[in-house]
Amino acid sequence: MRPSTFLLILLCLASLAGALLYSSHQRQALQADYEKRLTSLKSGGPGATLPPGMEAAGSEVEAMQKTVSFLQDQNRLLTEENDKLNKAMQQMSAGKSGTTPPPAHVVPTPSTLAKEVEAIRELKYKNTPEFTRVTLDEIEKRQRDVLAKRFPEDKARARERAARAVGYVWDPQYKLVDALTGLTMEQSGGIYDAATNTLALDKEADFEARPDLKGRFVLELARVLAAQNFDLTKLPLADDTNDDATLAVAALVIGDAVTAKIQYGVADMLNNDYSRAQQPAAAAFYAAPIFLRERFLFPYMMGDYFAQTIHQQSGFKSLDAAYARPPQSSTEILHPELYQATPPFQPAAVALPSAPVNGQAPLFENVLGEFGTLLLLKSQTREEVALQASDGWQGDRYVVYPGDEKKGDHAVWRSVWRTEVDAKDFAAAIRTMLLHRYAVPESPAQTLADGSFAVNDAARVIRIRTAVDKKTVTVINATDTAFADALEAAVNK
């Protein structure tokens, strides 16, 4: 064997080990912040009351055991690939002596990749997709058309105004479909048309020169495979009334595909030079608002964490079963132990009236969820404060009403928390967030005798009330006192 060949093999093995360690580190880092509170619970610190469903399933020891089990699985995979590498080295050495030729290199094609995805995911395509090569511009156009159909002009404008009213964005030029198109193209490995069973990919995509593009295509193949084997039309993937449930189901579907992609990549990495430069993130990705970027990446990052956790039970069979009982909230994705608890976590249904207020019909209503609350709070508070305050979410709903064109729209948001401490943490954090957002100085006079919070500023009227159950918090954010009074009266009927 030539020294250069042997060196290349060693580099591949090192690359594999590094990738596995980095992947494990990333998952642990993403989850570390969410485990802080659990540590506090064990030590008797703030929030020492265990949330429902965590008494038996959410201990720190059990979480560590799951992590150890996952690392053992990764070590087993690495050992298996090392054995394969040793056999390959022996074959190459024998080939040089003329006894056994080295295995021929196989150039990957869409069809061969589809067969590999079937083997990894332990499923079969009901109808193997037809593959077609088109320009990247054509893929982008098709993606935009899909998004424009999902969010027609009136719905898109309502969502844009709601994002500004809640506090996710300030930019008046923010365009939802434009931003989502850029984000989708950043991760896209192609676009599938179920009506024609055609999966289109970039005609310039070179799987040999760009292994990252091959990984994206494998991800797309895995998503099509899931769509053909599970009736995704029954899942709330496009529920316009509950973005949190939609996000949770997307995390299941995409997390499942990412898990299959990772397992494919473990073996594939030995046969490719991943030191080659990959395509940098597109400018459109960074042009999207931060909250939308993080929501877009959530199903890939935390969805993978959720899927890997479920996969540890009985392999892909466990993920198959999850489609029959999909997660209903981002809380279950962030805390898989709550999804697995007996009984499992159940988000609370929060009702808010949708009748006109002062002659104004509602513009938009939805659910933020734990992850949406986290994103909102950390836009104006420290991340550790936002993590602590969003943990303990049980349910929420918000409604946006059209307001003054210059001052903005009105919003009311009601949330329910698992414990009184959770509700108190959230009320303190949302208070800080709103004061920072509107640059209102904090004053003792803002805290009323009943413990509620009120700001009557020229730019904004804010009220934060905790109900008598001490677990329900209502936030009113209006442009004037008259509308705030009418809105508060309407939601408290």
Side-chain angles (χ1 to χ4, degrees):
M1 180 186 300
R2 292 181 299 173
S4 60
T5 302
F6 182 73
L7 179 60
L8 178 60
I9 292 172
L10 290 179
L11 287 173
C12 288
L13 183 59
S15 175
L16 170 64
L20 289 173
L21 289 172
Y22 179 72
S23 176
S24 175
H25 169 74
Q26 285 293 87
R27 278 189 286 272
Q28 292 180 54
L30 283 168
Q31 191 63 13
D33 285 323
Y34 297 102
E35 297 298 335
K36 285 183 179 179
R37 189 165 192 193
L38 186 57
T39 303
S40 176
L41 291 170
K42 286 292 180 181
S43 63
T49 303
L50 283 168
M54 291 187 68
E55 295 86 351
S59 71
E60 184 177 9
V61 172
E62 192 167 319
M64 291 175 65
Q65 289 173 339
K66 290 180 179 179
T67 301
V68 170
S69 177
F70 173 74
L71 290 175
Q72 289 173 339
D73 288 342
Q74 296 300 306
N75 182 62
R76 176 180 55 78
L77 289 172
L78 182 59
T79 301
E80 291 174 357
E81 292 307 320
N82 185 45
D83 291 342
K84 292 179 182 178
L85 179 60
N86 287 331
K87 291 179 181 179
M89 291 171 63
Q90 293 172 1
Q91 288 178 342
M92 283 187 285
S93 297
K96 189 173 181 180
S97 64
T99 56
T100 305
H105 175 67
V106 178
V107 177
T109 67
S111 296
T112 61
L113 290 174
K115 291 184 181 300
E116 291 190 60
V117 169
E118 283 184 322
I120 290 170
R121 187 54 185 82
E122 300 172 5
L123 292 172
K124 293 289 185 181
Y125 289 102
K126 303 294 184 183
N127 191 5
T128 303
E130 298 290 331
F131 303 105
T132 181
R133 295 270 189 169
V134 299
T135 65
L136 199 59
D137 287 342
E138 175 63 20
I139 291 178
E140 182 173 2
K141 179 183 179 301
R142 294 186 190 184
Q143 293 281 16
R144 182 180 293 277
D145 289 344
V146 169
L147 290 167
K149 185 177 180 180
R150 167 76 178 85
F151 301 107
E153 187 72 16
D154 57 338
K155 286 187 177 181
R157 296 295 83 80
R159 283 181 169 275
E160 291 157 8
R161 290 180 65 171
R164 285 188 282 268
V166 170
Y168 279 137
V169 293
W170 285 100
D171 185 5
Q173 304 303 316
Y174 162 54
K175 299 297 182 184
L176 176 66
V177 172
D178 289 348
L180 284 177
T181 300
L183 291 171
T184 303
M185 290 303 295
E186 172 63 21
Q187 293 290 333
S188 177
I191 183 165
Y192 177 66
D193 181 7
T196 62
N197 192 38
T198 301
L199 181 52
L201 66 153
D202 180 10
K203 66 187 302 183
E204 302 296 332
D206 185 341
F207 292 157
E208 287 286 273
R210 290 284 304 281
D212 62 314
L213 296 182
K214 179 168 55 176
R216 291 186 191 181
F217 188 67
V218 165
L219 181 70
E220 211 66 46
L221 286 167
R223 292 173 66 174
V224 174
L225 186 61
Q228 289 193 6
N229 281 271
F230 308 104
D231 189 359
L232 302 188
T233 61
K234 294 182 179 179
L235 304 182
L237 284 166
D239 185 353
D240 286 328
T241 67
N242 192 332
D243 282 352
D244 190 53
T246 297
L247 185 67
V249 173
L252 167 63
V253 176
I254 296 177
D256 180 3
V258 171
T259 300
K261 173 189 171 184
I262 289 174
Q263 293 205 13
Y264 169 82
V266 167
D268 182 61
M269 202 172 294
L270 286 172
N271 302 316
N272 292 282
D273 180 6
Y274 271 74
S275 66
R276 288 193 292 269
Q278 309 295 320
Q279 183 180 24
F285 181 82
Y286 294 106
I290 293 176
F291 94 94
L292 201 63
R293 297 200 314 248
E294 295 206 35
R295 275 188 60 89
F296 180 81
L297 291 175
F298 180 87
Y300 293 88
M301 302 298 289
M302 294 312 299
D304 173 43
Y305 171 77
F306 175 82
Q308 292 276 9
T309 303
I310 302 303
H311 184 270
Q312 289 176 22
Q313 293 179 320
S314 303
F316 280 111
K317 290 182 180 179
S318 299
L319 279 172
D320 293 348
Y323 285 92
R325 185 179 70 84
Q328 302 176 62
S329 66
S330 59
T331 291
E332 295 155 89
I333 304 301
L334 294 167
H335 312 282
E337 70 277 3
L338 293 181
Y339 173 83
Q340 297 172 315
T342 304
F345 176 84
Q346 183 70 34
V350 178
L352 278 177
S354 56
V357 173
N358 276 7
Q360 296 290 343
L363 172 69
F364 188 78
E365 59 178 298
N366 215 288
V367 175
L368 285 187
E370 179 176 339
F371 187 65
T373 301
L374 168 63
L375 294 182
L376 182 61
L377 292 178
K378 79 173 187 176
S379 69
Q380 298 289 339
T381 66
R382 298 193 313 274
E383 186 162 3
E384 59 269 26
V385 172
L387 284 162
Q388 175 74 12
S390 57
D391 189 21
W393 178 94
Q394 185 73 39
D396 80 77
R397 191 152 199 86
Y398 70 95
V399 182
V400 176
Y401 291 83
D404 182 272
E405 183 176 344
K406 185 176 181 181
K407 291 184 177 181
D409 298 320
H410 317 280
V412 57
W413 180 21
R414 178 166 287 168
S415 55
V416 178
W417 300 86
R418 292 198 288 270
T419 70
E420 294 179 14
V421 173
D422 294 329
K424 186 176 180 180
D425 289 344
F426 167 73
I430 192 64
R431 168 178 175 164
T432 300
M433 178 265 169
L434 289 170
L435 289 176
H436 286 179
R437 180 186 176 192
Y438 295 108
V440 176
E442 188 167 7
S443 166
Q446 295 164 350
T447 302
L448 307 184
D450 62 358
S452 60
F453 175 77
V455 169
N456 293 297
D457 189 77
R460 215 69 187 170
V461 176
I462 301 169
R463 295 172 187 174
I464 303 174
R465 319 271 196 203
T466 300
V468 293
D469 66 0
K470 297 185 179 181
K471 295 182 182 180
T472 303
V473 180
T474 302
V475 179
I476 289 177
N477 183 358
T479 63
D480 60 81
T481 303
F483 198 91
D485 289 342
L487 189 52
E488 190 163 20
V491 300
N492 289 329
K493 282 184 179 179

